[in-house]
Amino acid sequence: MDPGGPESQHPEQNALMQRIGGQWAGPTLQKSFQHEVADLLGRGRNTSFPGAQPVSFSSEHIQELKSQDYYVCEKTDGLRYLLYLTQDGDRDIHYFIDRRNDYWYVPNLHFPHHEDKTFRRFHTGTILDGELVEDKYPDREPVIKFLVFDCLVLDHVVFMQRPLDKRLAYFQTHVLQPYNAMFKQHPEYTRPFVLEDKHNEFSYALEKMFKEVIPKVKQMHGNDGLIFTCRDASYKMGTDPHILKWKPPSENTVDFLLRIEWARMEPDPEDPDQSMQTDFYSFPEKFALFIHVGNNEYSYIDDMYVEPQEWEEWKTLNHALQDIIVECYQDELQRWRFHRFRHDKENANHIKVFKSVIRSIQSHVTEQDLLNHAPEIRTAWKLRADQEKRRQEDEKRRRQAAVKPEG
């Protein structure tokens, strides 16, 4: 592995990636794949990470859940990846694409084509969106899974303009079902992880999410909220206003760039030529937090409050602390506090994301608020479904009348 590559920079991510045999593509091959994916998606020269990013849930989004059909799933506390299925000559190869737009080759993967019962043919020109997690169980060994929640492209056919339920249906019938059939017929085959679809509910099934789904997944791989995705909206690369990320108000977080400032030591009076030196052994004077404002520019927002014990723990970590992305939350005194280091991210949140999170914190939409609105969300959904059913029936009658032979 390249010592200057991402393997040495993101220890949390790479611990899981190494367990599935993931290997960084390297700068040259990675750049080639980035252009290949951009061409596949029709993005021209835009080779940035093509994944959609949610917006933080705030009070006005409750009305949106009533006016449009949304699906809801639990917000997994995992590692976000796109999975790129392609080929090298006559063999299939597979790469995970992380949010830093690094490409990771994963060996021993095979996704048989749905039209080939022998499992020899395979999918290529395919991009799936999902999260890599480790499910833990009290009575057996943990299992690494890739939970798929969207399908951008399948066999070079772009699906991003189609409704979400159609995109997921193609994934289930064309990718997941033959994949499971292959392992059922050949249980001796090994695989680096288990492939599953991420289960969605109608947006009004909130009581089930809070009382059944979330308590279960918290024990398995962790959870930090809900994700609402609009059924009829296209998949949008970058910030997508139709993907809503809800967290309990106390758990809303922002990813900042951390810049640490230490005290300066006075020069030795016996050495007049010595200049002031940074006192790296002291507790820092400032933990400054910066937000991304575009290009490579950052804007100072506030300082992070850090306890001395936290600082002592950080110093024992085997990674740099300066200019790292740090996820923070606001405590009851409205101080920004440390939540975790984000080794999987290259940039802090954009200023627009920051403002969205602040609105979410100020809106203070609680679990009970969502539960209170669930009946109205359900009524509005059912009304739209009934109207669509009548529209289809009317259209069917019109078509039948148009072809009916004259008496």
Side-chain angles (χ1 to χ4, degrees):
M1 291 186 176
D2 184 347
E7 302 91 347
S8 59
Q9 300 172 13
H10 322 305
E12 292 176 3
Q13 170 173 275
N14 292 322
L16 198 56
M17 184 60 66
Q18 289 174 5
R19 287 175 57 190
I20 63 173
Q23 306 167 37
W24 182 45
T28 303
L29 187 57
Q30 175 168 286
K31 186 175 181 180
S32 175
F33 279 125
Q34 288 170 348
H35 284 282
E36 190 174 296
V37 167
D39 289 340
L40 182 61
L41 295 171
R43 305 184 73 199
R45 297 182 179 180
N46 187 348
T47 60
S48 62
F49 177 69
Q53 304 289 354
V55 299
S56 294
F57 197 99
S58 55
S59 56
E60 66 266 20
H61 290 128
I62 292 178
Q63 182 56 41
E64 186 167 349
L65 295 182
K66 298 176 183 178
S67 62
Q68 298 189 66
D69 293 346
Y70 271 77
Y71 289 109
V72 62
C73 65
E74 61 97 7
K75 185 178 182 298
T76 304
D77 189 14
L79 295 172
R80 166 78 178 283
Y81 289 101
L82 298 179
L83 180 57
Y84 178 39
L85 285 60
T86 184
Q87 63 186 104
D88 181 15
D90 60 355
R91 69 185 185 98
D92 52 336
I93 55 175
H94 308 86
Y95 282 84
F96 272 131
I97 310 170
D98 66 24
R99 293 204 290 191
R100 298 173 64 101
N101 212 25
D102 288 321
Y103 282 60
W104 302 85
Y105 169 69
V106 181
N108 302 317
L109 280 178
H110 181 67
F111 296 99
H113 199 276
H114 56 285
E115 295 178 347
D116 183 7
K117 301 303 181 182
T118 68
F119 307 123
R120 292 189 179 91
R121 285 181 60 192
F122 50 82
H123 291 288
T124 184
T126 297
I127 300 177
L128 308 174
D129 199 351
E131 288 180 298
L132 197 65
V133 302
E134 182 180 26
D135 278 358
K136 298 179 180 179
Y137 305 92
D139 55 349
R140 56 191 172 103
E141 291 297 312
V143 178
I144 299 176
K145 297 180 179 179
F146 185 57
L147 307 179
V148 175
F149 51 72
D150 217 321
C151 177
L152 284 67
V153 191
L154 180 63
D155 295 324
H156 297 276
V157 178
V158 178
F159 284 179
M160 292 188 295
Q161 301 302 319
R162 305 189 188 191
L164 174 64
D165 53 348
K166 303 299 183 185
R167 303 196 299 263
L168 291 176
Y170 271 100
F171 161 71
Q172 291 163 357
T173 58
H174 288 48
V175 181
L176 184 59
Q177 289 179 10
Y179 170 87
N180 287 335
M182 178 181 68
F183 283 100
K184 184 177 182 179
Q185 187 169 326
H186 297 281
E188 73 278 8
Y189 286 0
T190 60
R191 49 184 166 177
F193 55 80
V194 173
L195 184 75
E196 292 184 0
D197 62 334
K198 194 169 184 181
H199 183 68
N200 282 273
E201 297 282 350
F202 295 139
S203 56
Y204 52 81
L206 293 166
E207 185 171 1
K208 179 179 181 180
M209 296 302 300
F210 286 122
K211 293 186 177 181
E212 298 179 24
V213 176
I214 289 180
K216 179 180 178 180
V217 300
K218 272 189 173 181
Q219 298 176 2
M220 296 170 63
H221 54 242
N223 167 274
D224 56 357
L226 299 172
I227 294 289
F228 296 90
T229 306
C230 185
R231 182 183 70 176
D232 296 319
S234 302
Y235 186 99
K236 182 180 179 182
M237 291 171 276
T239 302
D240 189 338
H242 295 295
I243 303 178
L244 313 176
K245 174 181 64 177
W246 177 87
K247 290 184 176 184
S250 60
E251 296 181 19
N252 274 294
T253 59
V254 177
D255 297 330
F256 294 102
L257 175 68
L258 174 64
R259 289 179 178 162
I260 303 173
E261 297 180 14
W262 285 269
R264 305 280 285 181
M265 296 185 295
E266 292 293 335
D268 186 343
E270 298 182 2
D271 186 358
D273 295 327
Q274 186 187 59
S275 60
M276 293 186 67
Q277 301 291 319
T278 301
D279 183 7
F280 290 113
Y281 293 96
S282 65
F283 184 79
E285 289 188 335
K286 193 171 185 178
F287 296 88
L289 301 174
F290 291 79
I291 280 295
H292 188 215
V293 294
N295 297 323
N296 292 319
E297 297 182 7
Y298 282 81
S299 177
Y300 169 75
I301 294 295
D302 203 345
D303 291 344
M304 178 170 59
Y305 179 80
V306 178
E307 297 280 359
Q309 181 58 37
E310 289 180 294
W311 174 245
E312 293 302 317
E313 292 174 359
W314 295 355
K315 289 193 296 184
T316 66
L317 302 176
N318 188 28
H319 63 75
L321 299 174
Q322 185 70 295
D323 292 329
I324 195 172
I325 305 302
V326 59
E327 184 177 352
C328 300
Y329 68 95
Q330 280 193 326
D331 65 12
E332 63 278 2
L333 300 178
Q334 295 188 321
R335 301 175 300 188
W336 289 108
R337 301 295 303 272
F338 170 79
H339 178 59
R340 61 175 171 171
F341 294 111
R342 295 303 304 265
H343 301 288
D344 60 324
K345 298 191 70 174
E346 187 172 27
N347 295 312
N349 286 146
H350 190 271
I351 185 67
K352 291 182 179 179
V353 176
F354 170 74
K355 291 179 178 179
S356 175
V357 174
I358 295 300
R359 285 197 302 271
S360 183
I361 292 174
Q362 294 172 345
S363 295
H364 203 76
V365 179
T366 65
E367 173 183 328
Q368 190 59 51
D369 291 330
L370 291 175
L371 290 170
N372 290 342
H373 286 278
E376 291 183 40
I377 296 171
R378 182 183 186 277
T379 298
W381 180 298
K382 296 296 184 182
L383 179 60
R384 286 190 298 272
D386 290 342
Q387 291 173 339
E388 177 61 20
K389 182 179 179 180
R390 288 194 296 270
R391 186 196 67 77
Q392 292 179 359
E393 290 173 349
D394 290 343
E395 179 64 26
K396 181 179 179 180
R397 284 192 293 268
R398 283 194 294 268
R399 289 197 303 267
Q400 290 174 340
V403 299
K404 185 176 181 180
E406 296 183 2

